[in-house]
Amino acid sequence: MYLLMFKTLRIMSLRKHILKKAVSLVLVSSGGFGVFSALNIYNENEQFYKNIVMPVVHRFNPETSHKLAVMAAKYGVIPKTKYKDPPTLGTKVWGIQFGNPLGMAAGFDKHGEAVNGLSKMGFGFVEVGSVTPKPQFGNPTPRVFRLIEDDAIINRYGFNSEGHEMVHERLVNLRSSANSKDRLSPMIVGVNLGKNKDSADSTLDYVKGILKFSDVADYLVINIS
């Protein structure tokens, strides 16, 4: 009996030892991968994104991946680019001076959450929206679909929006922080205006958008899709 108890205790002790070693291995491996990832992100290694980040992101459904990308930009997971736009990339349109002609189109930062983060990545402008007067969910899910072979997606969000008030408040806060170290200017911000599905007057929805965002947007887009 005592021999059996001794063997049992020995097995339990061995299991604890193995578990402790396994936990240590996981922590060390996680730490090593974290350092490796941080270095690649800091050095803007395109192969790291192509061979590691994107395959991981593609494990999630498209809409979840989209939300993760917005959150990464919002919270500065991707650091400010070290690349400086040469003067030859400067473009002037409608009296607005763009640092470069490559911008983030509407449909990515739908709610105006990640403008500063996208600016730091090097985009010449960010177009927020589409934004509708009242908050609305948009189309039922699933509503975003990957076309892997074509390196493309089908977007059927259906004007999901947090509404004029919420988005306008975010842009006001961004403008008010223009003199901080995380300054928005000279970032160009456009607002893409949509209409509510249950609106009795679509034209009035666009008018409301123009009146609401004229104080914070460098340009406005009327989206009639």
Side-chain angles (χ1 to χ4, degrees), residues 182-203:
D182 293 324
R183 57 182 298 157
L184 177 65
S185 58
M187 185 65 193
I188 306 301
V189 181
V191 177
N192 189 292
L193 304 173
K195 62 181 181 179
N196 283 115
K197 289 186 175 183
D198 61 355
S199 176
D201 188 342
S202 299
T203 301

Side-chain angles (χ1 to χ4, degrees), residues 50-225:
K50 179 180 179 180
N51 298 325
I52 297 179
V53 175
M54 294 311 298
V56 171
V57 170
H58 283 175
R59 303 289 293 181
F60 300 96
N61 73 64
E63 186 162 347
T64 300
S65 297
H66 180 189
K67 291 177 180 178
L68 290 173
V70 172
M71 296 301 285
K74 178 179 180 180
Y75 292 109
V77 174
I78 301 174
K80 184 176 181 179
T81 180
K82 298 185 287 295
Y83 178 81
K84 301 295 182 182
D85 291 328
T88 52
L89 286 181
T91 304
K92 193 169 187 178
V93 181
W94 301 323
I96 303 173
Q97 184 64 45
F98 293 80
N100 70 67
L102 181 64
M104 175 59 78
F108 180 79
D109 188 11
K110 286 178 167 291
H111 314 306
E113 301 173 272
V115 177
N116 256 341
L118 294 169
S119 171
K120 292 175 183 178
M121 291 180 201
F123 287 104
F125 62 95
V126 174
E127 189 172 308
V128 171
S130 295
V131 189
T132 57
K134 297 183 296 183
Q136 66 179 21
F137 180 76
N139 291 330
T141 57
R143 53 193 180 178
V144 187
F145 308 90
R146 290 191 181 99
L147 303 179
I148 301 296
E149 294 182 357
D150 300 307
D151 292 325
I153 63 169
I154 294 176
N155 173 353
R156 294 176 181 163
Y157 274 112
F159 282 4
N160 58 313
S161 174
E162 293 184 358
H164 281 181
E165 294 299 329
M166 182 67 74
V167 177
H168 182 265
E169 181 180 349
R170 290 193 181 112
L171 295 183
V172 167
N173 290 336
L174 282 171
R175 292 300 188 191
S176 66
S177 65
N179 293 322
S180 71
K181 64 180 180 179
D182 293 324
R183 57 182 298 157
L184 177 65
S185 58
M187 185 65 193
I188 306 301
V189 181
V191 177
N192 189 292
L193 304 173
K195 62 181 181 179
N196 283 115
K197 289 186 175 183
D198 61 355
S199 176
D201 188 342
S202 299
T203 301
L204 183 59
D205 279 7
Y206 295 119
V207 172
K208 289 179 179 177
I210 292 170
L211 294 174
K212 188 68 178 179
F213 291 99
S214 59
D215 62 332
V216 291
D218 292 291
Y219 68 89
L220 297 168
V221 176
I222 305 299
N223 190 341
I224 59 173
S225 63

